[in-house]
Amino acid sequence: MSRAGEVALGVIGTILNVILLVIVTFSVVAVGNADPVELKQVFEEQMAADATMTPEDIAMVNDAFDVILDVFGIVGWVLVVTLLISVILSIIAVVKVSKNKSPKTAGILFIFAGLLSGILLLAPILFYIAAIMCFVRKTPVHDEQDPYYNNEVHQPQQPL
């Protein structure tokens, strides 16, 4: 049985995941390498230009700015790792389903890859559809009592 649909959905989802992984990795590295003092000064200048901000509000936002940068770095690297695991699982699932060895295992791997790559993105939706297809589509079983079934080739014969 051809599993071209599952393979196509898995490959497209994997490519989208790799693109997202590259974008998130570059973002985390860029924020990690940025000078926090310079970022804070630019941020303060923009807040000072806003007439509705009081000096107390600016001081409160400045205190939270350092925490936000630290949290973004930690959460960003966690996101990079989960996306990397998702890409690896999806590649394994595509290989398993393309060889038609174990579509059930590939379906489970697609589900885990979808869970790790996000909730409302396109890649997980493609992974979930591929997983459903892996679970629902069954390989055809031929009855050996069927007179049109050839045991040597395992293909149905043409009627005589």
Side-chain angles (χ1 to χ4, degrees):
M1 165 181 278
S2 174
R3 299 272 185 182
E6 291 93 327
V7 172
L9 290 173
V11 168
I12 293 169
T14 302
I15 290 170
L16 292 174
N17 254 0
V18 168
I19 292 170
L20 182 63
L21 176 65
V22 169
I23 290 171
V24 169
T25 303
F26 281 144
S27 299
V28 170
V29 169
V31 169
N33 289 337
D35 184 22
V37 175
E38 184 179 327
L39 284 175
K40 202 174 203 180
Q41 288 175 350
V42 169
F43 197 62
E44 284 177 2
E45 290 171 3
Q46 290 178 353
M47 286 189 303
D50 187 8
T52 60
M53 296 291 286
T54 64
E56 293 83 23
D57 293 337
I58 294 173
M60 183 178 65
V61 171
N62 280 336
D63 293 339
F65 189 74
D66 293 330
V67 175
I68 290 171
L69 283 178
D70 291 340
V71 168
F72 182 77
I74 294 169
V75 171
W77 284 114
V78 169
L79 186 60
V80 166
V81 170
T82 57
L83 284 172
L84 184 63
I85 293 170
S86 174
V87 167
I88 292 169
L89 289 177
S90 64
I91 290 172
I92 294 170
V94 167
V95 169
K96 285 194 172 289
V97 79
S98 68
K99 294 182 179 178
N100 205 11
K101 285 189 174 181
S102 54
K104 302 277 189 225
T105 305
I108 293 169
L109 291 174
F110 277 135
I111 289 174
F112 284 130
L115 289 173
L116 290 175
S117 65
I119 295 175
L120 297 176
L121 301 174
L122 181 60
I125 294 170
L126 295 176
F127 289 149
Y128 298 146
I129 293 170
I132 290 169
M133 289 173 69
C134 286
F135 291 133
V136 172
R137 293 177 64 191
K138 305 286 184 201
T139 56
V141 178
H142 295 287
D143 186 14
E144 294 190 20
Q145 301 296 327
D146 185 7
Y148 300 113
Y149 182 72
N150 183 355
N151 287 333
E152 295 171 3
V153 184
H154 300 293
Q155 297 278 339
Q157 291 181 348
Q158 296 298 325
L160 298 175

